[in-house]
Amino acid sequence: MTDPRFVDRARQDRRRKIKRIALAVLAVVVAAAVVWTIWFSSLLAVHDVKVTGQATYKPAKILRVADVPAGRPLARVDLAAIESRIAGLERIESVDVSRSWPRTISIDVVERKAIIWATVSGRIRGIDKEGIDFRSYGSEPSQLVEATITVTDPAQRLETTRSVATVVDRIGREDPSLRRQLQSVSAASKDSIELDLTRGRTVVWGSDAKGARKLEVLRSLLALDATRYDVSAPDQPTTRQ
């Protein structure tokens, strides 16, 4: 005769086994449902695209270039490809594309900011702090300083333009009064930057190094009646009538 205790224990073991199998099957079903929902269903598909950070570009322009696939599951959208397309716009300095669950693609752009302008191949071009000419103007932009860069070698020209933009940017941020007196800037190399001020005054600035010190010295020199101020070596400045 079989001991009832063994029968009861066997029955409990079968129940535990069935329960484990049922839980495993349920886990697989849930995992499959989650994968299907995220990767294949329309429940988490692209419904909205939000653009932030643009200043001169209209959102419609960004959206057209981004070409986000509407209706595609959010998880399957190629963010790097979208970023690459937008980064190809000349006014874009940087772009970040991200998923905003459950149904939105967010595009945050940073546009280049013009610091100076120059005539490039017969066109008036805005130039940013990195020396990149990135946009055209129909007429001379009064809010920017004209730069004349006479360097012809492409690499040296870029380096010189970047130095000129750095100097003008510093003056604009640190000495607005001097910035209002600044009419134009010229450079034959990155180390020979000159500023053209109002009232026929010229400042020999030199390179973009020691900018803070040069500004400090120039403020004092401008109190003197002169037509040419040289702060290229700020610890040995000179003036000339």
Side-chain angles (χ1 to χ4, degrees):
M1 183 176 179
T2 304
D3 189 334
R5 290 177 298 176
F6 290 107
V7 174
D8 195 46
R9 184 179 302 165
R11 187 179 295 116
Q12 290 177 5
D13 288 343
R14 284 196 299 273
R15 288 173 180 168
R16 283 195 290 268
K17 184 177 181 179
I18 292 172
K19 185 177 181 180
R20 287 197 297 269
I21 293 174
L23 289 174
V25 170
L26 179 61
V28 171
V29 170
V30 170
V34 170
V35 170
W36 179 82
T37 299
I38 293 176
W39 288 90
F40 301 100
S41 80
S42 61
L43 295 176
L44 299 177
V46 176
H47 184 267
D48 295 309
V49 181
K50 294 184 178 179
V51 179
T52 57
Q54 81 285 352
T56 62
Y57 280 129
K58 294 182 179 179
K61 172 73 171 181
I62 303 293
L63 292 173
R64 185 166 58 254
V65 173
D67 193 23
V68 179
R72 179 174 296 180
L74 210 61
R76 292 168 55 196
V77 174
D78 189 341
L79 304 185
I82 296 172
E83 288 182 348
S84 178
R85 288 193 289 272
I86 297 173
L89 292 170
E90 65 175 2
R91 299 181 195 175
I92 298 299
E93 180 176 306
S94 64
V95 55
D96 179 64
V97 180
S98 60
R99 300 177 180 90
S100 297
W101 299 94
R103 306 183 70 184
T104 301
I105 291 293
S106 296
I107 300 173
D108 182 42
V109 300
V110 175
E111 290 191 20
R112 298 182 185 278
K113 180 181 178 182
I115 304 297
I116 55 179
W117 71 268
T119 301
V120 181
S121 300
R123 293 184 299 167
I124 298 174
R125 299 284 288 175
I127 300 171
D128 73 356
K129 62 184 178 182
E130 297 300 326
I132 304 295
D133 69 277
F134 66 95
R135 63 167 300 180
S136 295
Y137 293 94
S139 59
E140 298 178 3
S142 59
Q143 74 277 17
L144 301 179
V145 174
E146 179 183 8
T148 301
I149 313 295
T150 57
V151 187
T152 56
D153 177 78
Q156 293 181 13
R157 182 180 178 85
L158 177 61
E159 190 175 20
T160 300
T161 304
R162 184 185 299 119
S163 295
V164 169
T166 296
V167 171
V168 174
D169 185 47
R170 176 184 290 276
I171 293 173
R173 288 184 290 104
E174 300 181 12
D175 196 331
S177 176
L178 178 60
R179 171 62 182 81
R180 289 191 291 271
Q181 300 174 60
L182 181 57
Q183 295 184 316
S184 63
V185 58
S186 61
S189 73
K190 65 183 180 65
D191 298 317
S192 61
I193 299 170
E194 292 193 4
L195 313 179
D196 176 29
L197 304 185
T198 55
R199 305 202 306 273
R201 297 169 298 166
T202 300
V203 176
V204 179
W205 190 274
S207 72
D208 62 3
K210 300 182 180 179
R213 176 58 177 159
K214 290 177 180 179
L215 264 181
E216 179 184 11
V217 172
L218 182 57
R219 290 189 190 101
S220 299
L221 288 183
L222 289 176
L224 303 176
D225 184 16
T227 59
R228 190 172 181 85
Y229 306 83
D230 191 333
V231 294
S232 56
D235 294 326
Q236 295 179 311
T238 62
T239 62
R240 192 174 71 194
Q241 292 293 335

